Amino acid sequence: MNSFYAQLRGKCLWQTLVRSLFMSVASFICCFCLNGQEIPVIDSNPQALAQSEGDSTATQGSSSSTTDSSSSPSTVSSPNDSSSSSSSDTQAQAQAQGGVANPYVAQPSQAESTPNVETKEQPGSKNPKEISKEEVLGPKTGIYFGVFGGAAFPMSNGISALNSPPLFSAGGQTHGDTAGVGGVQVGYNFSGYKLDSQGKYWLQPAAQFEAYYIGQENISSTLVGGVAGTPMTHTPYAFNTELNMGIFVADGLIRFVNPTKIVPYLGGGIGGAYLASSGTNMIAPNGANLLFGHSYSQGAFVGQGLAGVQYNFTDHWSAFIEYKILWIKETEFSYLMFSGNSMLIKYPQSFNMALGGIRYNF
């Protein structure tokens, strides 16, 4: 009997142990399923691991506070809902980047993860207003075209008359009236030479071709002379003519470009002239007209110097005023006389000119 009771007691003890173990395993499985916890993925990155440990500590503190607050009768939203949504977004971002997101690591929001980036102006970029200002004030390269007009003031020049045979000679000083001037120019501005490190002052060379007209200059003089070897050697003769001139000059210029819209310049050139005289008369002391009002045309070499100032209204348009001094080489005009001989008259021409005009820079 004692052995029977001993076996029965050992069997009951064994069954009690097995039942307790089974209940413990079942309780653990039920608790795990009800809580829905996931096994955390540990990142091999040391920074991520440290952040994961800090965030897990914060998560444990928040979970404990949540457990305490869940025991109260008031309804409190579970942090698992928000954490699950943020976890899904984080996992999607991590998958797009080729990594695995840690659900226990707090991911920064888009506003926090993206720092405020201030757009800084590149060193080589310029403000459009500054560009337009620089274009207006700076050197302008390329072709330009201009028109101009003004007045020509003749200087007093020597004049001589010669006829043979018999040998006749006379001379004097010319006097001329103010004449009108009108012309055109086309030129090219070359690249400038910088005078300072900031690029505010430049010397800019240019070349231009000008064609202009000086019209209806009335030239008059009193020629003193006569036939050699006669008592009439110092007889005065009245001389007058109308002169029209076409001038063609190639100029070289240098412009002084500065931070203002006012650009001074200097230049000079050489070229040729076409001179046409008409209504030429030479009146002897007895009232006889020796030249019959004949006309004559002749070419001549010319040279000129100029100084001017231009004002830049816009990038393309500018106005200018100029002073020119024009010198025409002494030219010999041959006029037919009543006697059938030719009277050779030489009179060089020099002019001071005041001009103004406009230019268009292409």
Side-chain angles (χ1 to χ4, degrees), residues 87-101:
S87 177
S88 61
D89 295 338
T90 306
Q91 291 177 0
Q93 293 178 0
Q95 291 177 0
Q97 297 177 357
V100 179

Side-chain angles (χ1 to χ4, degrees), residues 3-215:
S3 61
F4 175 77
Y5 285 113
Q7 292 178 359
L8 182 60
R9 184 181 300 175
K11 185 183 293 185
C12 291
L13 181 60
W14 174 255
Q15 291 178 355
T16 301
L17 292 175
V18 171
R19 187 180 299 111
S20 298
L21 181 61
F22 177 76
M23 293 299 294
S24 298
V25 173
S27 299
F28 177 79
I29 293 174
C30 289
C31 291
F32 183 83
C33 292
L34 290 176
N35 290 333
Q37 300 293 331
E38 298 178 2
I39 300 175
V41 179
I42 299 176
D43 194 351
S44 59
N45 190 355
Q47 296 180 355
L49 182 59
Q51 184 176 3
S52 175
E53 292 176 355
D55 293 340
S56 62
T57 305
T59 304
Q60 290 176 0
S62 61
S63 62
S64 61
S65 61
T66 304
T67 304
D68 297 337
S69 60
S70 62
S71 60
S72 62
S74 60
T75 304
V76 179
S77 59
S78 174
N80 292 330
D81 297 337
S82 59
S83 63
S84 62
S85 60
S86 61
S87 177
S88 61
D89 295 338
T90 306
Q91 291 177 0
Q93 293 178 0
Q95 291 177 0
Q97 297 177 357
V100 179
N102 190 348
Y104 290 99
V105 178
Q107 300 295 331
S109 62
Q110 184 176 2
E112 295 176 352
S113 61
T114 304
N116 293 329
V117 180
E118 296 180 356
T119 303
K120 296 183 178 179
E121 185 179 355
Q122 297 297 330
S125 64
K126 296 181 179 180
N127 193 326
K129 293 183 179 180
E130 294 180 356
I131 292 176
S132 61
K133 182 178 180 181
E134 182 178 347
E135 289 177 352
V136 172
L137 301 182
K140 299 174 179 59
T141 60
I143 299 174
Y144 64 87
F145 176 81
V147 295
F148 59 90
F153 307 95
M155 301 179 188
S156 179
N157 297 281
I159 183 173
S160 63
L162 182 65
N163 179 34
S164 176
L167 180 61
F168 172 88
S169 64
Q173 293 292 118
T174 62
H175 305 280
D177 296 335
T178 301
V181 180
V184 296
Q185 61 182 207
V186 59
Y188 187 87
N189 289 319
F190 298 96
S191 299
Y193 299 95
K194 189 185 298 184
L195 299 179
D196 64 329
S197 59
Q198 297 180 354
K200 293 183 178 181
Y201 299 94
W202 300 73
L203 286 179
Q204 184 180 33
Q208 70 181 18
F209 174 78
E210 291 184 311
Y212 56 94
Y213 168 76
I214 303 175

